[in-house]
């Protein structure tokens, strides 16, 4: 299973490696959950999950300090016998020499940070949830429009990149073109990012590759964005029926999360950028509690009742 490299993890949180004999670059964190080993130091290992990052705070540290040497060493031996990615000591606390000796022997990395335990736990969970989240790559363009993450999808050559370029010229921000990496952070949140190799590039047929960051500046690009709305571009077909009121929401499912979706027919003379911009603003307005279609329906009903 692909995981998070512990060397990257330690550098990200500016943690010090106390087990210098262990190469952090070859070890991985594979789960986003963490554990504070209070019960384990007391000798209870029921339902213990050793694959989690272990966090030692002030409570666990002071409990170990008041144990006699024999009981403390046994607690260390029992705890470090499990295969775990790393143990982190918070608040600048330094582990006992016996702990480091046993950790080195069992190939368990020990890290140290000066930050408070609660803040370290919250940040670790946030970062690991993002890095280890279920991920897929889809064909599309992701743009930040007025703070709303707009995912534009459609067949190749239908005009997704051109619409994104016009949105950028109107002051909005590009996240990624062509390939969108989507991660499900939790049960209701999707985050879209760009592959490193194509970040900030757009392909325009007939022109080639352009660098949005170099041409329009850093204010026109963004590294990641939540996905709030999906626009599906499709060729205009006279026989098809398209939604003209918007009373009922349509959804598409990505990684098990339902996202509001609009099917937008393409026809000469339609300004895609303006329509996408309006869709994003309208979606934002609905989230704030106002639905124009429902308001029109209410007025019609009131007029009929009169």
């Amino acid at each position: 299973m692909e995981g998070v490299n512990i060397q990257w993890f330690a550098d990200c949180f500016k943690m010090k490696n106390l087990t210098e004999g262990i190469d952090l670059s070859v070890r991985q964190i594979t789960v986003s959950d963490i554990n504070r080993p209070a019960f384990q130091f007391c000798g209870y290992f029921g339902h213990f999950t050793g694959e989690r990052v272990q966090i030692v705070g002030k409570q666990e540290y002071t409990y170990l300090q008041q144990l006699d040497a024999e009981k403390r060493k046994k607690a260390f031996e029992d705890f470090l016998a499990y295969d775990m990615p790393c143990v982190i000591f918070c608040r600048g606390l330094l582990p006992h020499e016996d702990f480091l000796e046993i950790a080195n022997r069992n190939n368990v990395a020990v890290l140290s940070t000066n930050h408070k335990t609660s803040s370290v736990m919250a940040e670790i969970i946030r970062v690991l949830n993002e890095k280890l989240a279920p991920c897929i790559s889809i064909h599309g363009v992701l743009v930040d429009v007025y703070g709303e993450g707009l995912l534009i999808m459609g067949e190749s050559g239908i005009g997704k990149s051109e619409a994104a370029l016009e949105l950028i010229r109107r002051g909005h921000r590009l996240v990624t073109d062509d390939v969108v990496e989507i991660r499900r952070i939790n049960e209701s949140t999707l985050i879209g990012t760009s592959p490193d190799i194509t970040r900030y590039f757009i392909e325009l047929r007939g022109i080639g590759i352009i660098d949005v960051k170099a041409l329009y500046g850093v204010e026109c690009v963004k590294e990641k964005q939540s996905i709030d709305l999906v626009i599906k571009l499709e060729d205009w077909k006279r026989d098809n029926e398209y939604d003209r009121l918007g009373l009922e929401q349509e959804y598409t499912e990505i990684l098990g999360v339902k996202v509001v979706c609009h099917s937008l027919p393409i026809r000469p003379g339609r300004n895609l950028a303006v329509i996408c911009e309006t869709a994003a603003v309208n979606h934002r307005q609905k989230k704030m509690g106002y639905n124009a279609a429902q308001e029109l329906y209410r007025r019609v009903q009131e007029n009929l009742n009169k």
Side-chain angles (χ1 to χ4, degrees), residues 103-153:
N104 271 300
R105 189 199 320 148
N106 293 351
N107 199 33
V108 176
V110 181
L111 307 175
S112 174
T113 176
N114 292 324
H115 296 291
K116 293 181 179 179
T117 310
S118 57
S119 60
V120 170
M121 291 172 62
E123 191 64 14
I124 287 175
I125 291 172
R126 184 190 69 80
V127 171
L128 292 182
N129 273 339
E130 183 173 327
K131 289 292 182 181
L132 298 174
C135 179
I136 60 169
S137 296
I138 65 171
H139 180 61
V141 178
L142 181 58
V143 187
D144 173 7
V145 180
Y146 296 125
E148 299 293 312
L150 194 66
L151 177 61
I152 305 173
M153 302 174 63

Side-chain angles (χ1 to χ4, degrees), residues 44-88:
Y44 180 73
F45 287 89
H47 308 290
F48 176 57
T49 50
E51 68 270 16
R52 296 182 180 183
V53 172
Q54 308 294 318
I55 309 289
V56 178
K58 191 173 183 179
Q59 286 185 325
E60 295 86 1
Y61 186 82
T62 52
Y63 170 76
L64 291 170
Q65 291 298 98
Q66 58 90 34
L67 293 177
D68 62 58
E70 186 178 344
K71 286 184 178 179
R72 184 167 56 232
K73 188 169 184 179
K74 185 180 187 308
F76 294 162
E77 292 277 6
D78 293 343
F79 175 63
L80 293 169
Y82 286 81
D83 183 21
M84 57 188 71
C86 63
V87 182
I88 300 171

Side-chain angles (χ1 to χ4, degrees), residues 245-247 289-306:
L245 293 178
L247 282 172
Y290 179 82
N291 189 317
Q294 291 178 355
E295 176 64 18
L296 175 61
Y297 180 77
R298 185 187 65 78
R299 291 183 185 182
V300 171
Q301 289 298 107
E302 288 181 355
N303 193 54
L304 289 175
N305 290 335
K306 289 178 182 178

Side-chain angles (χ1 to χ4, degrees), residues 22 41 67 102 105 117 120-121 144 147 163 172 177 195 205 211 218 220 228 265 283 285:
I22 297 176
F41 287 146
L67 293 177
I102 298 168
R105 189 199 320 148
T117 310
V120 170
M121 291 172 62
D144 173 7
H172 306 293
D177 175 64
R205 281 173 173 77
D211 187 337
V218 293
C220 293
D228 303 293
H283 179 72
Q285 192 176 48

Side-chain angles (χ1 to χ4, degrees), residues 245-259:
L245 293 178
L247 282 172
E248 295 183 2
Q249 294 275 35
E250 294 184 7
Y251 296 89
T252 186
E253 194 169 291
I254 303 174
L255 288 172
V257 178
K258 288 186 176 181
V259 184

